[in-house]
Amino acid sequence: MDKSKTFDLSKTGLTRRTALKGLAATAGLVTAPGFVRYSQAQSSAPIKIGFQSHRTGIGAAYGRWYEKTTAAAIKAINAAGGINGRQVEVIVEDDGTDPGRGAEVVGKFATQHKTDIVFGTLFSHVVIGSAPAAGEAKIPYFVVSEGHHVASTKLNRYVFQPGITDVKSQIQSMAPWIAGNVGKKVTMIFPDFAFGYDHRDYLPPALKAQGADVIAQIAIPPTESSFTKYFPQIPAETEVIYHVMVGPAVLTFVKELGEFYGSNRPQLFGFIDSLEATDINSPGLEFLDGSHFWEGSPRYAQADDSEAQKAYRAAVGIDDNGAAVGDPKDVSTAAHMFGCWETLYVVKKAMEDAGYKGPEDRAKLVEATEALTAFAEGPEHPQGAKTFNGKIHQCFGIQNISKVEGGKLKVVHKTKIEDGLYEAEGDYTTQAL
């Protein structure tokens, strides 16, 4: 095996059931001389993680990179000895980015594959549709979703989001910068489903507190393939267009927005979701120059990147432009996929704290996760330090605001953890296990 190459789950030909076992260490993280396969080296059964993947549907681009990141993290964890001395196996099922199918997948992991936990989901409507199945089966469900649904405490005690911040926190962190640097009369364009509703609900009050106003809100179906018909709804007095679109037509969205306005446009502030997995240098996107985007973890390598960030990027196989090493057209979902890496290390920590041995210890795992309070920046958490609120099962971290300059995204502002903190809306720990 060429140890210089990152293990790519999507190119192995594996389909519904995928086993990721001990491989050589990824660049800059850990080395394991003489490391051998699980069956040769261990006498105990592996820890099984059910990966709920968006292999098809509108989330497919995210699903592919979530799998790559998960593969890299499991590779590093197994090379360092696994969890509680046991290797980790990942079993993949496609949820089609569909809530009904998502619930079926969670049930399948619990009853057929008998995995220890379920992990990985991004799209919020899938999380919301799947969470009841996790609660029913009493199987811990670790999502990398970004929506406020977990922190709202409207789901159940078995659902956690410990590796990526939620929209409410993100918006609260960035609203002062938007109002102070971009404009005060804002029109929102957002997807017409749960994730978009978080933006719809939390941006107006956050901007209002900074002396700015949302003057129009335009909801667009996430499966829409053309957007020009929506743009005449943007009021003429708009100073800022705040956009956060998702799905396979994001390139069309930003191109048509540019065609509609030409060079005379309002300021643009976008969540990178509107451009995830899309080359910022694609023809027709020149109008984005000078605009700003939110990024969880920066797509482009930055001058001040930490050694942990460099090692993480090498491990998951992205170059300085955030594309797959060796394939500049395969642009990553860097702003979100880091959450898979970090969540798996949270799972590792919680399982070790709980002395986790098997499904009979799931309640202990839930309590051990709830007892966590902070994650230090480093190889396990390369995006940055985070705090964790066990009552709402949600982490809080820093946000990046980046500017498009010369066909690249350059970070111009980083928020602080405390900028995104808010009062808990409930307490999962009061629910029975």
Side-chain angles (χ1 to χ4, degrees):
M1 178 182 288
D2 180 358
K3 295 184 181 181
S4 67
K5 293 182 180 178
T6 301
F7 180 70
D8 183 347
L9 188 88
S10 67
K11 295 180 181 178
T12 61
L14 297 173
T15 53
R16 294 173 66 84
R17 191 174 189 276
T18 303
L20 303 176
K21 298 183 178 179
L23 302 173
T26 48
L29 288 176
V30 64
T31 57
F35 183 79
V36 292
R37 292 176 62 87
Y38 153 76
S39 59
Q40 297 170 307
Q42 300 289 333
S43 58
S44 59
I47 287 172
K48 294 197 293 185
I49 292 177
F51 187 97
Q52 185 182 13
S53 178
H54 302 331
R55 280 190 165 173
T56 56
I58 61 173
Y62 288 94
R64 184 164 53 84
W65 278 98
Y66 268 37
E67 286 193 38
K68 286 186 178 186
T69 307
T70 296
I74 293 298
K75 176 178 169 181
I77 289 170
N78 279 341
I83 298 176
N84 288 332
R86 297 162 60 189
Q87 294 292 282
V88 181
E89 177 184 61
V90 173
I91 300 168
V92 181
E93 290 281 354
D94 177 19
D95 64 16
T97 326
D98 176 82
R101 189 164 165 185
E104 292 172 2
V105 164
V106 170
K108 191 172 183 180
F109 283 136
T111 60
Q112 181 175 323
H113 295 304
K114 300 187 185 302
T115 61
D116 293 277
I117 65 169
V118 181
F119 160 80
T121 322
L122 169 66
F123 274 62
S124 55
H125 63 309
V126 181
V127 173
I128 293 168
S130 302
E136 235 175 77
K138 297 186 181 298
I139 187 168
Y141 185 35
F142 291 85
V143 303
V144 188
S145 177
E146 195 183 20
H148 183 60
H149 33 277
V150 177
S152 71
T153 64
K154 293 178 181 177
L155 300 183
N156 62 71
R157 195 171 178 181
Y158 283 84
V159 188
F160 291 87
Q161 189 161 258
I164 191 168
T165 55
D166 71 311
V167 171
K168 182 176 180 178
S169 177
Q170 293 164 358
I171 288 173
Q172 182 175 303
S173 295
M174 294 181 294
W177 193 92
I178 295 171
N181 296 274
V182 189
K184 296 187 184 298
K185 294 181 179 180
V186 181
T187 290
M188 298 180 63
I189 301 177
F190 58 91
D192 194 8
F193 74 112
F195 170 66
Y197 302 156
D198 281 349
H199 289 265
R200 176 198 66 190
D201 295 343
Y202 297 117
L203 183 65
L207 286 177
K208 193 75 173 177
Q210 304 300 322
D213 290 299
V214 172
I215 60 174
Q217 295 182 318
I218 302 171
I220 299 179
T223 53
E224 185 65 88
S225 58
S226 182
F227 306 88
T228 304
K229 62 185 178 184
Y230 296 96
F231 299 146
Q233 299 176 36
I234 301 171
E237 64 270 29
T238 297
E239 296 174 352
V240 184
I241 295 176
Y242 176 102
H243 60 98
V244 51
M245 293 305 298
V246 295
V250 290
L251 179 58
T252 303
F253 169 76
V254 287
K255 278 186 174 180
E256 291 183 353
L257 187 63
E259 291 167 359
F260 181 80
Y261 277 106
S263 59
N264 185 23
R265 60 164 172 77
Q267 293 295 311
L268 300 175
F269 187 95
F271 263 54
I272 199 65
D273 307 61
S274 296
L275 211 62
E276 280 281 61
T278 300
D279 186 353
I280 202 168
N281 290 297
S282 300
L285 299 190
E286 297 81 5
F287 82 103
L288 288 174
D289 195 62
S291 67
H292 294 86
F293 283 91
W294 164 88
E295 295 186 279
S297 187
R299 176 186 300 184
Y300 288 83
Q302 304 294 308
D304 61 349
D305 277 348
S306 67
E307 291 305 310
Q309 178 68 206
K310 292 174 184 177
Y312 158 77
R313 294 175 71 93
V316 300
I318 57 174
D319 62 19
D320 286 352
N321 294 322
V325 172
D327 186 358
K329 294 183 179 179
D330 187 6
V331 179
S332 72
T333 58
H336 297 82
M337 68 194 200
F338 74 91
C340 293
W341 180 283
E342 298 205 11
T343 301
L344 285 168
Y345 276 102
V346 172
V347 170
K348 179 178 184 292
K349 168 66 173 168
M351 283 187 169
E352 290 170 349
D353 288 353
Y356 184 86
K357 294 179 181 178
E360 68 278 7
D361 290 333
R362 285 174 178 161
K364 290 182 181 178
L365 176 58
V366 167
E367 292 176 324
T369 307
E370 291 171 341
L372 298 172
T373 58
F375 313 125
E377 181 177 5
E380 297 180 356
H381 298 279
Q383 190 265 356
K386 294 175 180 65
T387 61
F388 182 72
N389 186 331
K391 291 183 177 180
I392 62 174
H393 293 188
Q394 178 64 54
C395 75
F396 295 85
I398 64 102
Q399 314 300 331
N400 297 282
I401 295 175
S402 299
K403 185 177 182 180
V404 181
E405 292 182 342
K408 293 187 176 184
L409 286 157
K410 180 182 178 181
V411 176
V412 295
H413 179 70
K414 287 180 181 287
T415 69
K416 298 177 181 178
I417 293 176
E418 51 266 32
D419 295 339
L421 297 177
Y422 52 77
E423 291 296 321
E425 298 168 31
D427 185 353
Y428 281 123
T429 66
T430 63
Q431 297 181 7
L433 285 166

